[in-house]
Amino acid sequence: MEQLQRLVTRYGACEQEPVRFRPKTWRPRLEPHGAAHVLDIGVRSTKGATGDRLVDRGDLARLRDRVADDPDGLRDLFVAVMIWGSGTTDGRGPRYTEAALCDPRMPTVLRATREAVREGDLCGAYRKFVLKGVGRSFFTKWLAAVDDRDATCERALILDDRVFRSLNALGWSSWTAAGTRHWPTRYATYVSTMHGWASALGVTADWLEWLLFHLNGRVDEA
């Protein structure tokens, strides 16, 4: 906690920046599935290649609040999450997204995991997410994006490799904390632990998650 407090003090004024993405890279992967309109999300970027756009968590939240529970609406939100999570640095993102769109389980998986998150069953939501091309780093982004519960709840958080690297550097082990190597339980334990830390540090859990992502294991920077 002392190390985290120093990091929070140092980076307290920092915020996550929007992610830049390249619609022309995604369009061929999305058009066959009727999802290319999702590329209009966000705003036009003034940097990078012509046509690049910027998308942030706020854009995802607004899309989440607009889409219904129908398969197409959930699919659009999923695609937006994958775009945000990939940016211009993960060239595999469009290919993995297309693989998921081709998976016949998608409508059932997206609906079931959203329902589990809304019920506060993060362990179950983690366990139920199985789609081609989508691993923990990305499907926990989906779990976080669809969580529209009250802010007083322990809402879902992202657990990608960068966050995990920072947790390990801090000496925190998910399987030790959870008392099991069962990944769904470890994820739920991580979320609960992060909310507890955030409350003690006077920050929000999603901001603390972003800080660990930003540090990418470099926790000795405080």
Side-chain angles (χ1 to χ4, degrees):
M1 286 301 294
E2 291 181 2
Q3 193 170 11
L4 276 175
Q5 182 63 72
R6 290 195 297 270
L7 290 166
V8 168
T9 299
R10 176 172 179 178
Y11 291 95
C14 299
E15 295 182 357
Q16 185 173 17
E17 296 181 353
V19 174
R20 182 167 55 87
F21 71 97
R22 193 152 294 157
K24 67 179 182 181
T25 302
W26 288 83
R27 195 172 301 280
R29 304 285 187 174
L30 301 182
E31 282 185 337
H33 303 278
H37 58 274
V38 181
L39 296 172
D40 293 332
I41 194 170
V43 298
R44 184 177 298 275
S45 175
T46 58
K47 298 179 180 179
T50 301
D52 283 5
R53 298 185 68 82
L54 298 174
V55 59
D56 61 21
R57 288 196 191 213
D59 294 313
L60 297 182
R62 286 185 286 274
L63 179 59
R64 176 198 66 207
D65 294 341
R66 289 200 309 270
V67 302
D69 289 331
D70 66 277
D72 287 347
L74 293 180
R75 177 208 61 196
D76 289 352
L77 180 56
F78 171 77
V79 169
V81 170
M82 293 295 287
I83 290 171
W84 175 76
S86 301
T88 57
T89 59
D90 190 345
R92 298 168 296 181
R95 175 161 48 90
Y96 289 164
T97 302
E98 183 179 36
L101 289 169
C102 291
D103 193 325
R105 297 170 294 181
M106 172 174 275
T108 300
V109 168
L110 297 186
R111 183 177 64 254
T113 52
R114 182 174 187 173
E115 289 176 354
V117 167
R118 285 176 159 177
E119 293 169 359
D121 181 13
L122 299 187
C123 182
Y126 188 106
R127 177 174 48 81
K128 292 175 181 177
F129 199 104
V130 182
L131 284 180
K132 292 179 181 178
V134 188
R136 183 193 68 232
S137 290
F138 276 89
F139 74 67
T140 57
K141 291 179 174 67
W142 164 257
L143 302 184
V146 299
D147 198 337
D148 56 1
R149 293 177 295 158
D150 187 89
T152 59
C153 298
E154 292 188 349
R155 296 174 66 169
L157 298 170
I158 298 168
L159 181 57
D160 63 12
D161 291 342
R162 291 172 65 102
V163 173
F164 211 83
R165 198 169 292 120
S166 292
L167 290 169
N168 288 338
L170 287 166
W172 188 82
S173 165
S174 61
W175 71 267
T176 299
T180 178
R181 291 190 180 275
H182 182 245
W183 266 109
T185 303
R186 291 165 68 177
Y187 172 70
T189 300
Y190 152 74
V191 172
S192 181
T193 300
M194 286 284 282
H195 279 274
W197 286 346
S199 178
L201 293 165
V203 297
T204 63
D206 59 343
W207 184 87
L208 185 60
E209 166 221 289
W210 166 78
L211 177 61
L212 296 184
F213 170 87
H214 174 73
L215 292 172
N216 193 22
R218 303 184 305 272
V219 298
D220 57 348
E221 291 189 356

